[in-house]
Amino acid sequence: MTTTMAIRIHGLGGPEMMRWEQLPLPEPGPGEVLVRHEAVGLNFIDTYHRSGLYPVPSLPAVLGMEAAGVVEAAGPPATDGPTFRAGDRVAYGSVLGGYCERRVMPAEQLVRIPDGVAFEAAAAAMLKGMTSWYLCRRTYRVRAGETVLIHAVAGGVGTILCQWCKALGATVIGTAGSAEKGRLARAHGCDHVILYKEEDFVERVGEITGGEGVPVVFDGVGKATFDGSMECLALFGMMITFGNASGPVPPLNLLRLSARGITVARPSLKPYIERREDLEEASSELLGHIQAGRIELTIGQRFPLSDAAAAHRALESRQTQGCTILVP
Ligand code: NDP
């Protein structure tokens, strides 16, 4: 029987819950393909699945949502579904079960990696980059000349979203947890870096925008920054809270929105790429930017997939920069 090595959890908890195990691999059925991973992306959501903040459908579960690799075999194609052949270079974001060397998965969740885009770049970009796409192109449409605020701008989503907003002609204010992260953010085009452990980011945004505030805040930090982010908004601004790196945002009293005409959004990637045409639009825009060099993926660190626990510890203790790759 064919097998694969994978990182699985049998219960919820800390990084110590992850086990490196051998699992059986079925033959790909109709509409399925067998993919050999060349690179696996690390995401904060993997830690939420591990801890139980976001539920996994059942236990034991293979963690991981994002990877790139090569099709090894394909089952009979589904009617109307995409067709892949052995040897095709493919990638996906947002399909649970990615922390493994090989997997059988639905072909309709995969996209082709264009020439000139490396496996690591695709594995780092699919989830974090399609998130950046919907944040600045769908939930809020960033326009040239606007000034936007991005928290944790030197992180995985942060470095990609920053470059995307720059490509759209915006001025980017970004927060970062250290001077080194600040330098990385500047190298990705961030115009104004705020070291938010030392500086009051609300005051600094006020100074930079001449007291006006920003039309949109992209906040993946959550609990620690939510209230300050609300204060950074201009009249009729949009607060986009999309993550919980510092903990989940407590329930919100909607009356807080009325005085300044604020909109709050709490989006997630899944619905934005649920339909095949949306997945293709998001991924082709993203991969096109990468291919053209408008968005560069910075792989700040690599860990062996078998030691995904070390990667989780680094991510949760703010030790990582840019994107992180797990090497199968
Ligand atoms: P990052 O690489 O951005 O890592 C998280 C960063 O958050 C840290 O490096 C750190 O940067 C900052 N941070 C601030 N406070 C804390 C804290 N208390 N603990 C840990 N980190 C903290 O991760 P990702 O790019 O994977 O994800 C970024 C955010 O976006 C996450 O909240 C994630 O859940 C969310 N997300 C949401 C999606 C959606 O569709 N809703 C999809 C993808 C990601 P610094 O040191 O500079 O402060």
Side-chain angles (χ1 to χ4, degrees):
M1 191 207 302
T2 323
T3 61
T4 184
M5 294 304 291
I7 289 280
R8 272 209 307 188
I9 53 165
H10 292 254
L12 305 174
E16 72 285 353
M17 300 305 286
M18 292 189 271
R19 294 195 209 152
W20 185 234
E21 296 179 332
Q22 188 167 26
L23 303 179
L25 262 185
E27 292 284 315
E32 291 183 332
V33 291
L34 169 61
V35 181
R36 184 187 74 244
H37 288 157
E38 294 287 332
V40 174
L42 177 75
N43 286 282
F44 226 94
I45 193 172
D46 307 342
T47 70
Y48 307 151
H49 286 146
R50 192 208 68 222
S51 69
L53 180 62
Y54 291 179
V56 287
S58 61
L59 289 170
V62 178
L63 296 177
M65 303 286 277
E66 176 185 53
V70 178
V71 172
E72 284 199 330
T79 340
D80 297 336
T83 311
F84 294 98
R85 274 192 238 132
D88 284 346
R89 301 167 77 241
V90 291
Y92 60 89
S94 214
V95 190
L96 187 67
Y99 281 10
C100 57
E101 293 172 336
R102 296 153 88 214
R103 73 183 291 188
V104 172
M105 60 183 298
E108 65 177 9
Q109 311 270 22
L110 290 169
V111 298
R112 277 194 176 72
I113 305 175
D115 292 343
V117 177
F119 286 118
E120 281 201 343
M126 285 297 287
L127 195 157
K128 293 174 279 287
M130 290 195 292
T131 297
S132 302
W133 166 80
Y134 85 69
L135 287 171
C136 69
R137 303 275 291 128
R138 290 290 178 274
T139 312
Y140 184 90
R141 286 174 191 262
V142 170
R143 284 166 305 182
E146 287 183 325
T147 299
V148 306
L149 172 61
I150 302 174
H151 284 300
V153 72
V157 172
T159 47
I160 302 172
L161 180 59
C162 177
Q163 294 175 85
W164 208 315
C165 290
K166 290 304 296 175
L168 292 168
T171 296
V172 175
I173 306 174
T175 58
S178 70
E180 196 187 341
K181 289 186 178 188
R183 283 191 287 277
L184 183 75
R186 275 191 206 92
H188 286 89
C190 184
D191 300 279
H192 304 275
V193 173
I194 303 173
L195 300 181
Y196 57 173
K197 281 182 182 167
E198 298 155 26
E199 301 173 279
D200 180 331
F201 75 84
V202 179
E203 264 179 34
R204 291 282 291 115
V205 169
E207 283 163 20
I208 295 164
T209 61
E212 209 173 289
V214 289
V216 63
V217 180
F218 298 105
D219 189 339
V221 170
K223 190 176 175 185
T225 44
F226 184 86
D227 288 334
S229 297
M230 293 279 283
E231 287 183 54
C232 292
L233 287 168
L235 270 183
F236 310 115
M238 180 182 276
M239 169 70 197
I240 307 184
T241 172
F242 66 98
N244 327 278
S246 66
V249 175
L252 173 69
N253 178 353
L254 290 176
L255 289 178
R256 278 176 70 186
L257 311 183
S258 60
R260 296 177 55 74
I262 301 301
T263 305
V264 173
R266 201 336 179 165
S268 69
L269 174 60
K270 263 238 146 77
Y272 284 95
I273 55 167
E274 205 162 276
R275 296 179 305 179
R276 179 77 198 174
E277 62 261 39
D278 292 332
L279 171 64
E280 283 176 5
E281 187 178 346
S283 59
S284 70
E285 246 191 84
L286 168 68
L287 294 166
H289 276 316
I290 297 172
Q291 201 177 23
R294 284 184 292 271
I295 292 179
E296 276 182 36
L297 274 295
T298 293
I299 312 298
Q301 47 282 308
R302 294 174 181 81
F303 294 84
L305 177 58
S306 57
D307 197 12
H312 278 218
R313 287 191 188 98
L315 187 62
E316 291 178 291
S317 58
R318 303 173 79 164
Q319 307 285 313
T320 62
Q321 296 191 21
C323 302
T324 305
I325 288 291
L326 303 173
V327 183

